[in-house]
Amino acid sequence: MNNHDAPAVEVVDLVKTFDGGRLRALDGVSFTIEEGSWVALWGPSGCGKSTLLHLIAALDDPTSGRILVRGEDLRHISNMDHYRREVVGLVFQLHNLLPHLSAIENLEVAMLGSKLSHRQQRQRAQELLDAVGLGDRTGVKPPALSGGERQKLAIARALVNEPSILLADEPTGSLDSVATQIVLDLFGRLRTGRKLTLIMVTHDAEVARAADRIIHMRDGRIVADADLLVGPVGRA
């Protein structure tokens, strides 16, 4: 996946159905996301935004249509483990951290299979924990961290293999307003100096405004797509 001139993500007429075709979660969705963009997929629960994110992460297959990542069709990728580990990083809504491992060990286990030595893995993990503000919490296990700290740890883990695309599924959904702003500020800082493409799912209009572009979804379709929003965003 080395076509750096291609868009980061291109979705072409994407359809996803469930229950033998009776439930149409995505209904002909198409868009292009350029490298280095921060895009919010915004809409109410059940509109298809998380389904779309999971398809880009190659956690599921579309019923029809295509997804191209940096010019390569996901249907033609032979090494999906490499794709999921090193091309995309996924921040889950419920963190999916390993509770019996320390913060730094949660990052190190995500690097299993990489070519880095243990020393290099430890150094990389420490650098990321420092970057997200958890440098003094390396030995703490997730149950002893606050909700905001667990989310920052999940973000660090998603970035540990240096993916070019970060996929965040409702990254602030369980956080209060203060922790939400901390996470959004962190996303902004992480993009500085690197061409990290960020695709964020959210149902919250205020959170969506932090992005460069908002793709508004409803009933499995795109109903609006704006690079810069002028005036208030309506509630989904």
Side-chain angles (χ1 to χ4, degrees), residues 16-175:
K16 180 63 178 178
T17 62
F18 297 97
D19 193 21
R22 285 183 285 274
L23 176 60
R24 204 171 183 89
L26 294 173
D27 189 10
V29 171
S30 298
F31 59 80
T32 297
I33 296 176
E34 297 300 330
E35 186 176 9
S37 302
W38 180 356
V39 176
L41 301 176
W42 172 61
S45 297
C47 72
K49 56 190 187 298
S50 290
T51 297
L52 177 56
L53 199 77
H54 293 166
L55 293 178
I56 296 171
L59 298 177
D60 199 358
D61 297 319
T63 303
S64 64
R66 296 187 300 153
I67 301 173
L68 294 89
V69 175
R70 302 175 80 175
E72 186 167 358
D73 195 319
L74 291 191
R75 296 173 300 180
H76 303 152
I77 295 176
S78 58
N79 189 345
M80 273 300 180
D81 288 337
H82 174 269
Y83 173 78
R84 296 188 189 106
R85 185 177 64 244
E86 299 186 19
V87 178
V88 296
L90 185 59
V91 181
F92 294 94
Q93 185 174 355
L94 299 178
H95 309 130
N96 285 5
L97 299 168
L98 299 175
H100 60 287
L101 297 182
S102 68
I104 199 166
E105 289 169 340
N106 263 276
L107 267 62
E108 289 175 327
V109 76
M111 288 184 276
L112 292 176
S114 74
K115 297 179 181 179
L116 299 178
S117 67
H118 177 70
R119 180 179 178 182
Q120 291 171 321
Q121 289 178 8
R122 176 58 59 104
Q123 180 179 355
R124 172 69 177 157
Q126 184 64 59
E127 288 172 352
L128 271 172
L129 289 174
D130 290 341
V132 301
L134 294 176
D136 60 347
R137 306 285 274 165
T138 58
V140 180
K141 295 180 180 179
L145 298 172
S146 69
E149 287 174 330
R150 288 195 295 272
Q151 190 60 286
K152 290 194 287 186
L153 180 57
I155 293 167
R157 183 190 57 186
L159 292 170
V160 77
N161 290 308
E162 299 186 304
S164 58
I165 302 169
L166 182 64
L167 307 173
D169 191 1
E170 294 282 5
T172 63
S174 61
L175 304 180

